[in-house]
Amino acid sequence: MVWGEILSVGVDEIDEDHRKLMHIFNVLNHSVMERESPEYIAATLEELINCTVWHFSHEERLMLKYRYKDMAEHKAEHRELIQTAKELQQEILRADNRMVDEQIEFLERWLSGHILTADGRLGSYLSQVI
Ligand SMILES: [Fe+2]
Ligand SMILES: [Fe+2]
């Protein structure tokens, strides 16, 4: 996944987080392509999950501070992703690498899709009120 202007939500502090998340995501993707051990892949996913949890708290604090009306819906999407990623992490420790490839693609679509839709809407709102 490559960072590009299309992924910018128009708020620097959120864009910075997203760049960091994408960097870790690319490390994860690389470790899958290089057929690293399931333990290593799970550890990389742990790093991505921790960074994502932190980033979601950051967005949720901004939503509270600026009274974002769609906060509940946005938070629900965050919760769902963390849940899915944690389940995936458990599966990686049990499954073969082919399964992991498909699930990495799923995570990639989810992450870029969320940034382009839910985060894009949040960014448009925040750029008007900050
Ligand atoms: Fe985000
Ligand atoms: Fe978000």
Side-chain angles (χ1 to χ4, degrees):
M1 197 180 330
V2 181
W3 174 264
E5 269 312 301
I6 190 167
L7 289 169
S8 169
V9 301
V11 178
D12 286 347
E13 59 182 297
I14 295 180
D15 285 347
E16 268 171 43
D17 288 5
H18 288 161
R19 256 190 222 106
K20 179 71 187 161
L21 285 181
M22 272 183 210
H23 172 72
I24 303 172
F25 185 86
N26 287 335
V27 172
L28 175 68
N29 205 9
H30 191 72
S31 69
V32 171
M33 286 190 310
E34 295 293 315
R35 301 282 182 235
E36 297 282 1
S37 68
E39 289 77 13
Y40 182 82
I41 293 170
T44 312
L45 188 53
E46 176 78 15
E47 191 182 343
L48 181 62
I49 290 170
N50 288 338
C51 190
T52 304
V53 166
W54 168 79
H55 164 62
F56 286 172
S57 313
H58 181 195
E59 281 185 357
E60 288 163 17
R61 178 177 62 77
L62 293 174
M63 289 187 230
L64 262 182
K65 183 171 179 184
Y66 296 102
R67 301 172 197 283
Y68 185 55
K69 67 174 171 42
D70 296 326
M71 179 169 178
E73 191 190 336
H74 197 132
K75 272 183 87 168
E77 270 195 41
H78 285 171
R79 265 198 306 274
E80 201 185 308
L81 176 72
I82 295 298
Q83 184 64 30
T84 307
K86 284 183 175 168
E87 283 164 16
L88 174 57
Q89 191 182 29
Q90 291 309 306
E91 274 179 48
I92 285 168
L93 292 166
R94 293 189 299 256
D96 66 22
N97 281 335
R98 215 177 55 221
M99 230 179 135
V100 172
D101 285 345
E102 289 160 13
Q103 287 164 327
I104 291 292
E105 277 174 37
F106 170 82
L107 271 188
E108 179 169 9
R109 275 198 305 276
W110 196 101
L111 185 59
S112 52
H114 180 78
I115 291 174
L116 288 167
T117 58
D119 287 351
R121 285 194 296 274
L122 173 63
S124 308
Y125 174 75
L126 290 177
S127 0
Q128 286 167 5
V129 294
I130 284 179

